[in-house]
Amino acid sequence: MRTIVVTGSASGIGRATLRLLEQRGDRVIGVDIHDAEIEVDLSTRDGRAEMIEDLRERRHHIDGVIANAGLAHQTPDDVAVNFFGAVATLDGLLPLLAGSQAPRAVATASIASLMPSDTELVDLCLAGDEPGALDRAAKLVEARQGDLIYASTKVALCRWLRRAAPGKEWAGAGIPLNAIAPGVVETPMVSGMIGTEIQRAAISAMVPMPLNGFMRPEVPACLLVWLVSEKNSHLCGQVIFIDGGSDAVIRGDSTW
């Protein structure tokens, strides 16, 4: 039985992932701001530190980390959770992964990483300057450019991951690190953006995918589960984009 940590486990992709892992017989430790085994606020440094300390106290090692927690509020909180929360989760739990015989880690990015973003915000994230990044996000909101924040956090996360994954701490230590980048997933986070047919058509037109459909949370969940499983012995440093028309994947791991 493998032990997997899933952040953002209370809803959406995280909840679907937790359920699928449990169905496979894995021990899952869910992390979220509510309705989770570990309840912390990953938008804060204290919340991240509390999660890491809690896991260190209860586990000698973990086998997988799924840094899935995310927000799309078009506020500085998106930056705090989507980038700094994800990176803190992965880096902070790295020592616990080192004790596993088959350690794996994966983050949830987004197809939004291909959309317009703010270069200054991305650079501040990659420089590790959280106060500066939060301030830049606040200025974007003031300038009515808050729609650039979410995409910027996902651009930064993808770039960070591609740089970190081949390094000695990850690939050099035998720990594959990857990410998925789904299109539009029908979760509570995006419900306000796809509530009408006009909204759905507008969002669909923005997504550069061949089949260009909306997907259930179980679709990205299946790929997350495979990426943290022992079956993934060859992918590292990849950001895998998922088409909205790929519902066939929920038939099971054999699809991959």
Side-chain angles (χ1 to χ4, degrees), residues 1-158:
M1 180 177 68
R2 289 168 63 76
T3 298
I4 313 295
V5 176
V6 179
T7 67
S9 62
S11 64
I13 296 172
R15 185 178 182 183
T17 302
L18 180 146
R19 288 178 172 176
L20 183 55
L21 286 165
E22 289 182 336
Q23 290 170 10
R24 289 163 48 94
D26 291 324
R27 162 81 167 103
V28 188
I29 302 175
V31 180
D32 212 313
I33 199 166
H34 59 78
D35 298 320
E37 184 169 345
I38 298 178
E39 295 185 353
V40 295
D41 184 353
L42 293 178
S43 71
T44 69
R45 293 176 183 266
D46 288 346
R48 300 163 201 158
E50 183 180 344
M51 173 193 66
I52 293 165
E53 184 60 27
D54 189 325
L55 287 164
R56 285 176 177 170
E57 288 180 354
R58 69 169 74 191
R59 303 297 306 182
H60 294 296
H61 77 269
I62 55 177
D63 299 292
V65 176
I66 298 177
N68 168 77
L71 297 176
H73 294 167
Q74 297 185 0
T75 70
D77 281 347
D78 293 8
V79 180
V81 175
N82 298 358
F83 182 79
F84 291 99
V87 172
T89 297
L90 293 165
D91 277 347
L93 298 181
L94 181 56
L96 292 180
L97 284 170
S100 171
Q101 293 185 348
R104 307 283 186 267
V106 58
T108 299
S110 171
I111 199 166
S113 61
L114 302 178
M115 297 177 183
S117 60
D118 181 71
T119 300
E120 184 176 346
L121 177 53
V122 172
D123 289 344
L124 287 165
C125 287
L126 291 173
D129 183 355
E130 186 168 2
L134 296 178
D135 181 65
R136 177 58 183 169
K139 289 178 179 176
L140 288 172
V141 173
E142 292 174 5
R144 298 185 179 181
Q145 294 181 298
D147 57 323
L148 295 176
I149 295 174
Y150 181 79
S152 300
T153 66
K154 296 303 184 178
V155 169
L157 181 60
C158 290

Side-chain angles (χ1 to χ4, degrees), residues 25 165 203 243:
I203 291 290
D243 196 327

